[in-house]
Amino acid sequence: MNFKRKIYDRILRWKASRNGKTALLVEGARRVGKSFTVAEFARREYKSHVIVDFSSPQPLTLDAILNAPHDLDGLFNRLSLEYHTRLYPRETLIVFDEVQLCPKARQLIKHLVADGRYDYIETGSLITLKTMSEDILIPSEEERISMHPMDFEEFCWALDDGVTPGFIRECFDMSKPLGALHQTVMNRYCEYLCVGGMPQAVAEYAATKDISCADLVKRDILKLYRDDIAKFARGNAAKVRSIFDQIPGQLSKKEKRYSLASLGKSARMREYEDSFVWLADAKVANPCYNATDPTVGMALSSDFSTMKLYMGDTGLLMTLALGDENATSGDLYKAVFTGDVYFNSGMIAENAVAQSFAMSGRPLFFYSRRNPESHRNELEIDFLIRRDGDICPVEVKSGRYQSHASLDKFRAKFKDRLGQPYILYTKDVMEKDGIIHLPLYMAMFL
């Protein structure tokens, strides 16, 4: 199934603006659609292309790549012969797919770009892990962009719904309620939360309209992630696996910050820090740090020992949270969102917002202040974002909510440095008490 992905336009801008002066590395978690999108780009935008898949490379091609710094002509001849493709100067794209499996090919980019005959795109997962680049010189000629799971707009497009995304955008830009259509859009958004944005799961759902079929695909992806942890996390595999499996449990608590005590009574951040970094570098999880002094330079005041950890894809979180060894039925997913079974839907909503912000390239921060006597949170804001140069607090609410006491306290405490406050919730667009209320599906526009 040929899905429309927003990153395609970013790759197109790279081709037009760089004109071979850099190579492009498309990085992201496993199964987010990197290889498919780049292959489609190669087919549509170049006269010819060669895709070297390092998960199953041609032996002679691999040997030519390892010796290429001394014989680029030999490499190009080998590629042309083995892939039965004529190479055209400035009109051919050479793709190094799964380049993390051949670090020497990544190092070769410096020489290939300097040669200037062709364009180059690399795709890679786990690419920022130290184990994938410790023995090579990372080329400065490499330009990186990150690919994420499909967002809500892309999900709608995949279901042949090109109208909803444009209508939502128009209402957001005009601060206009959707009215009678709000619940229809909210129902579709709940579909997105259940299925998630992994292209294979979306394709399965688009073909069958059966969430349990998509759930089986997601279980395979979760298994793949666990296998990657076992294979690539080296001595930290057990710790990384423990952190990964406990993400739903941590997010379901009232205080969603990650509690190391759940990993062991004597657990300390210095022992687990590399494991959190591993999950973030693998793009499997999105860490969110406590900005203790919310200013435009939030990273300067971040307490990196106090964090929340969100799944990179909300659909995977749903499967991880509801999971057993069998597929979760569509009826159970439906019951979760209708309230017919008890489930902490707040963690799903908050994870979806975190995912939207991460997809937009926003670093994730929250604000929390603890009472030193009771050791309990007395004030917490779910997210802090920068908009138009200001710090904007964002609270996420699911279902019915009666008040926003923390947001009121936060606004009073930092009133001289804040921009527009927002509440993301399940109802329609509204402004009240100086706070803009937006449906959860508009988080992608903030």
Side-chain angles (χ1 to χ4, degrees), residues 290-303 366-368 384 391 410 413-414 417:
N290 185 11
T292 57
D293 182 25
T295 64
V296 289
M298 286 185 285
L300 299 176
S301 67
S302 293
D303 178 5
F366 71 104
Y367 177 83
S368 178
L384 301 176
I391 299 296
F410 185 80
K413 182 177 178 63
F414 297 108
R417 63 175 79 171

Side-chain angles (χ1 to χ4, degrees), residues 148-160:
H148 300 275
M150 299 169 74
D151 68 11
F152 182 49
E153 282 189 288
E154 292 171 322
F155 179 79
C156 290
W157 296 334
L159 298 184
D160 292 325

Side-chain angles (χ1 to χ4, degrees), residues 289-432:
Y289 299 104
N290 185 11
T292 57
D293 182 25
T295 64
V296 289
M298 286 185 285
L300 299 176
S301 67
S302 293
D303 178 5
F304 289 94
S305 65
T306 307
M307 72 170 71
K308 297 187 285 186
L309 195 65
Y310 298 101
M311 284 287 288
D313 178 70
T314 303
L316 292 180
L317 175 64
M318 286 285 288
T319 296
L320 195 59
L322 296 173
D324 53 29
E325 293 184 357
N326 303 310
T328 302
S329 72
D331 290 338
L332 179 56
Y333 276 108
K334 182 178 179 180
V336 165
F337 285 101
T338 58
D340 292 340
V341 298
Y342 174 74
F343 187 79
N344 188 345
S345 57
M347 75 168 181
I348 299 300
E350 196 170 317
N351 196 92
V353 172
Q355 181 181 343
S356 289
F357 289 164
M359 286 176 171
S360 300
R362 293 187 180 280
L364 299 181
F365 296 100
F366 71 104
Y367 177 83
S368 178
R369 186 181 70 194
R370 293 176 73 84
N371 186 312
E373 296 179 0
S374 66
H375 301 289
R376 298 179 66 87
N377 277 8
E378 58 183 19
L379 174 58
E380 182 161 319
I381 302 298
D382 295 327
F383 298 101
L384 301 176
I385 63 173
R386 281 193 288 266
R387 273 179 66 85
D388 302 322
D390 294 321
I391 299 296
C392 299
V394 179
E395 282 277 78
V396 181
K397 306 290 185 181
S398 63
R400 297 178 180 178
Y401 82 96
Q402 302 298 322
S403 63
H404 38 74
S406 283
L407 185 55
D408 292 339
K409 291 178 183 178
F410 185 80
R411 293 173 70 194
K413 182 177 178 63
F414 297 108
K415 59 183 178 182
D416 295 333
R417 63 175 79 171
L418 296 182
Q420 176 64 54
Y422 296 92
I423 287 178
L424 294 168
Y425 70 152
T426 58
K427 297 182 180 180
D428 206 347
V429 176
M430 174 184 72
E431 183 170 356
K432 184 179 179 181

